[in-house]
Amino acid sequence: MTTADLLAEGELTVRGRIRDASNAALYCTVSYDGREAACIYKPVAGERPLWDFPDGTLAQREVAAYEVSEATGWGLVPPTVLREGPYGEGMCQLWVETVPDGELLALVDAEEPEPGWKAIGLADVGEGRTALLVHADDDRLRRLAVLDAVINNADRKGGHLLPGAGGRLYGIDHGVTFHTENKLRTLLWGWAGEPLTGEAVEALKGLEEALQEGAALAVRLAGLITPAELAAVRARVEALLVSGRHPEPTGEWPAIPWPPV
């Protein structure tokens, strides 16, 4: 049984609530045939309405983000499924136990980042002072930046980056993704305008094929997002391959989420 099967078919038991989550997020265990894992269950009934996303669709978008992540081969999103639970249908995602890792984000009193860091922008730190917000020049973050561009992530905050065992880095909280309009809002702008890596180009080519009409990924996404949103995913992948570069802020939408962490 895969982890996704366990999440989908196991008995879900609520253990507590994540209090600082913007939508209802319940800490649970899921068990099946002697196997157990910790997970997060976000029922659709606990989603707060948003002005720019259809009501009751955030759980499906979280699952869609996992499906796209898996198709890249990078495994950037913890296993995530859509299932029935104690409070109705919702998304269920494997809980990630974080481990100590190198610093990924920092505020520095400088005009330019040091080697090993990429500049995001200036941040107001109070009393009329600013500091440079930077993120690590880390291949794992760079892969996430590409994934976010594909799924049109409108909320890539620092708190959504979870270092896991074995040097893995996961991204979570993908409810505001897959909009048809450009809403990319992220802390990972350090590579904006730079050429994509060869690895990223190959992953995008694989996605392009996997998103073709009738392909398995396209069929799964069609059950989670609208036809227009699926067409927009295809268009974003094509645009990235044509440009060969990381996207840049358009100025039409706030480029950095608030609060950033």
Side-chain angles (χ1 to χ4, degrees):
M1 172 180 280
T2 67
T3 300
D5 290 336
L6 173 63
L7 293 170
E9 301 176 18
E11 181 179 357
L12 195 61
T13 304
V14 176
R15 304 295 184 184
R17 182 172 182 176
I18 311 300
R19 291 291 181 183
D20 58 354
S22 56
N23 296 290
L26 305 175
Y27 177 76
C28 304
T29 55
V30 61
S31 57
Y32 187 91
D33 197 23
R35 186 178 172 190
E36 184 173 279
C39 60
I40 291 293
Y41 161 55
K42 296 181 181 179
V44 172
E47 295 178 3
R48 294 191 310 170
L50 298 173
W51 69 270
D52 53 347
F53 281 82
D55 293 350
T57 66
L58 305 191
Q60 292 93 325
R61 295 172 194 278
E62 295 236 35
V63 178
Y66 166 70
E67 293 285 358
V68 173
S69 166
E70 287 299 284
T72 65
W74 288 334
L76 299 170
V77 179
T80 311
V81 302
L82 195 67
R83 62 163 291 167
E84 286 293 323
Y87 299 102
E89 186 179 59
M91 84 86 172
C92 187
Q93 183 176 83
L94 185 69
W95 177 266
V96 174
E97 290 290 348
T98 58
V99 300
D101 200 346
E103 197 171 17
L104 298 174
L105 296 165
L107 278 170
V108 295
D109 187 13
E111 295 183 358
E112 297 291 336
E114 295 183 357
W117 295 88
K118 306 290 284 187
I120 303 169
L122 292 173
D124 184 353
V125 294
E127 299 180 353
R129 297 175 56 245
T130 59
L132 185 65
L133 182 61
V134 297
H135 66 67
D137 189 1
D138 186 307
D139 289 342
R140 301 170 301 172
L141 291 180
R142 192 163 191 170
R143 294 181 190 116
L144 269 174
V146 174
L147 176 67
D148 285 343
V150 170
I151 66 176
N152 197 16
N153 192 352
D155 195 31
R156 175 61 73 205
K157 297 177 180 177
H160 300 167
L161 306 172
L162 302 182
R168 298 286 298 274
L169 183 69
Y170 296 97
I172 61 168
D173 284 351
H174 297 108
V176 286
T177 50
F178 295 100
H179 204 287
T180 55
E181 299 175 9
N182 180 14
K183 289 185 177 288
L184 184 59
R185 190 166 56 171
T186 175
L187 285 178
L188 305 180
W189 286 116
W191 298 281
E194 293 187 14
L196 296 167
T197 64
E199 175 191 53
V201 170
E202 289 306 309
L204 290 167
K205 288 179 178 178
L207 267 182
E208 186 175 47
E209 183 174 348
L211 287 166
Q212 290 180 2
E213 192 74 34
L217 176 64
V219 171
R220 291 196 295 273
L221 291 181
L224 298 166
I225 59 178
T226 69
E229 289 166 344
L230 180 52
V233 177
R234 294 185 177 115
R236 287 192 294 270
V237 170
E238 181 182 6
L240 286 166
L241 285 170
V242 169
S243 73
R245 295 181 177 275
H246 287 268
E248 299 180 78
T250 64
E252 300 172 358
W253 177 254
I256 297 176
W258 188 261
V261 177

